[in-house]
Amino acid sequence: MPSIIITGAGRGIGQATAKLFLDNGWHVGLIGRNQDILAATASGYDRALVLPCDVTDEAAVDASFDKAIENWGRIDTLFNNAGVSVFGARPDEISVADWRRCIDINLTGSFICGRAAFARMRAQDPQGGRIINNGSVSAYVPRWGSSPYTASKHAITGLTRSFSLDGRPFNIACGQIDIGNALTDMAQKMTTGMPQADGNMAVEAVMDVSNVATSVMHMASLPLDANVQFMTVMATTMPYIGRG
């Protein structure tokens, strides 16, 4: 039975993805900071493993990955999903503290979890596994007033490419899913109006979060001799192609 660890598994994209994998017979490790929220996601599933920890805490992440190995014997996949957003302000209006928090969670947290997965995938027998990083359409085209978030997601692309290259000798594949306007609690504001680069407010198209979960499932289900290096899944008519 295959296994996956999902970070940010208590809400939104992480929760939807965790439930889809559980419904399809996978062992799923749920990482997040709130144990009660993770437990609610895991409720009713005997293959769910609740792993409460902060992705920026190296020791806690290592302990969580070790617990998964103890329970399953191996880790097949990591979905590096945990992240925060900083939107709606020009660079001089964004605090350095908000910048650091965004980079620490989105980028450093992804590296810490990816590092933990890489080490265990390299050591396990048979060797190998897959790491899927949650990028964003902002990894390619920025949203107005989003310099910390956009910088973190551009950096995720570099992290994905580096992990992909470094994983080749060890049968470790790494790919990235870039998501646009999936309707989660965090994205509800898109349905009422988001600031645009021209100064106007505009309602933006959204898509059901299940489309993200099924896309991650496709990426994770491939044999290790095939890899989706980059996938973009987005609301069809959202402002992205020619974002203004």
Side-chain angles (χ1 to χ4, degrees), residues 168-189:
R168 286 180 181 178
F170 312 109
N171 205 27
I172 298 171
C174 184
Q176 180 171 316
I177 182 166
D178 297 309
I179 301 159
N181 288 17
L183 186 55
T184 63
D185 289 344
M186 189 169 67
Q188 282 288 343
K189 56 191 174 184

Side-chain angles (χ1 to χ4, degrees), residues 88-150:
R90 295 177 176 86
D92 58 322
E93 299 167 337
I94 295 170
S95 70
V96 174
D98 283 345
W99 166 275
R100 286 180 170 148
R101 176 173 174 267
C102 185
I103 297 298
D104 203 27
I105 295 172
N106 293 7
L107 179 57
T108 305
S110 292
F111 172 74
I112 289 171
C113 292
R115 176 182 181 273
F118 197 106
R120 286 151 186 82
M121 291 172 180
R122 182 178 173 182
Q124 62 196 10
D125 184 21
Q127 192 177 60
R130 189 183 307 276
I131 297 168
I132 301 170
N133 291 327
N134 184 343
S136 168
V137 294
S138 291
Y140 303 94
V141 180
R143 181 182 288 280
W144 175 86
S146 67
S147 53
Y149 184 79
T150 295

Side-chain angles (χ1 to χ4, degrees), residues 16-216:
T17 304
K19 287 186 174 182
L20 180 65
F21 275 78
L22 286 163
D23 287 340
N24 281 270
W26 288 56
H27 290 296
V28 179
L30 300 100
I31 285 183
R33 287 176 291 182
N34 189 308
Q35 182 165 353
D36 291 340
I37 291 174
L38 295 176
T41 300
S43 179
Y45 295 102
D46 58 7
R47 294 180 309 280
L49 181 63
V50 174
L51 302 168
C53 75
D54 186 328
V55 296
T56 67
D57 184 334
E58 178 184 348
V61 168
D62 279 332
S64 293
F65 277 72
D66 285 341
K67 185 176 179 180
I69 290 287
E70 289 169 10
N71 277 266
W72 306 331
R74 65 181 289 110
I75 297 169
D76 294 304
T77 307
L78 165 66
F79 180 31
N80 239 340
N81 168 69
V84 296
S85 61
V86 178
F87 289 139
R90 295 177 176 86
D92 58 322
E93 299 167 337
I94 295 170
S95 70
V96 174
D98 283 345
W99 166 275
R100 286 180 170 148
R101 176 173 174 267
C102 185
I103 297 298
D104 203 27
I105 295 172
N106 293 7
L107 179 57
T108 305
S110 292
F111 172 74
I112 289 171
C113 292
R115 176 182 181 273
F118 197 106
R120 286 151 186 82
M121 291 172 180
R122 182 178 173 182
Q124 62 196 10
D125 184 21
Q127 192 177 60
R130 189 183 307 276
I131 297 168
I132 301 170
N133 291 327
N134 184 343
S136 168
V137 294
S138 291
Y140 303 94
V141 180
R143 181 182 288 280
W144 175 86
S146 67
S147 53
Y149 184 79
T150 295
S152 74
K153 293 304 185 178
H154 272 66
I156 287 293
T157 299
L159 189 70
T160 298
R161 292 181 185 277
S162 292
F163 272 45
S164 187
L165 189 62
D166 294 344
R168 286 180 181 178
F170 312 109
N171 205 27
I172 298 171
C174 184
Q176 180 171 316
I177 182 166
D178 297 309
I179 301 159
N181 288 17
L183 186 55
T184 63
D185 289 344
M186 189 169 67
Q188 282 288 343
K189 56 191 174 184
M190 295 174 183
T191 65
T192 58
M194 290 289 289
Q196 306 297 310
D198 61 5
N200 291 320
M201 296 289 290
V203 172
E204 296 187 6
V206 295
M207 65 175 177
D208 193 89
V209 70
S210 64
N211 295 302
V212 180
T214 56
S215 297
V216 175

